[in-house]
Amino acid sequence: QVQLAESGGGSVQAGGSLRLSCAASGYTYTSRTMGWFRQAPGKEREGVATIYTGYGDTYYDDSVKGRFTISQDNVKKTVYLQMDKLKPEDTAMYYCAATGPRTSLGLFLNAKSYDYWGQGIQVTVSS
């Protein structure tokens, strides 16, 4: 059973930083695409960053490009989202997601591309 567990959320003032972690368990850490999504109240879930664990390639939504960094630690089976220069509009529930095993590069910000999801963690940015 694949399980994803997010941690590291919280409250911060605008301009501050947070680092989210997504620990994977229940499966062999083979090459997959991992993504970070967020959902604010009354809005649809949107993808903000994705990484293909096989090569380390990454892709970002324009709204976070230059401020957020996705990375991985294959030994710890963990994917991170470093969030800098946070803005009040970054306030949302953040979710980690994973595809099934992939043998080719794939970078997705579409939620439908993912098979497994974490429970989510709240990030609140005050002005």
Side-chain angles (χ1 to χ4, degrees):
Q1 181 72 15
V2 175
Q3 293 186 329
L4 303 173
E6 301 98 337
S7 61
S11 297
V12 66
Q13 290 192 329
S17 298
L18 284 173
R19 188 176 80 156
L20 304 183
S21 299
C22 173
S25 63
Y27 66 90
T28 302
Y29 201 68
T30 55
S31 297
R32 298 171 185 264
T33 299
M34 305 289 290
W36 283 99
F37 288 76
R38 66 186 181 188
Q39 187 167 19
K43 294 188 176 182
E44 293 187 354
R45 189 171 297 190
E46 62 175 357
V48 297
T50 177
I51 185 168
Y52 176 59
T53 65
Y55 305 145
D57 291 61
T58 60
Y59 185 75
Y60 300 89
D61 184 77
D62 286 345
S63 64
V64 305
K65 200 172 294 183
R67 300 188 299 122
F68 290 11
T69 303
I70 189 170
S71 62
Q72 61 177 339
D73 184 329
N74 287 345
V75 174
K76 294 183 178 179
K77 299 181 182 181
T78 299
V79 172
Y80 304 97
L81 185 68
Q82 176 68 39
M83 304 185 294
D84 298 317
K85 302 177 183 178
L86 281 161
K87 304 175 181 180
E89 52 262 45
D90 294 319
T91 296
M93 187 73 78
Y94 281 72
Y95 298 88
C96 175
T99 66
R102 293 187 57 86
T103 57
S104 62
L105 174 65
L107 298 169
F108 314 114
L109 294 180
N110 183 340
K112 294 181 179 179
S113 297
Y114 292 85
D115 303 299
Y116 308 102
W117 292 84
Q119 292 297 309
I121 193 162
Q122 180 67 38
V123 170
T124 302
V125 184
S126 58
S127 57

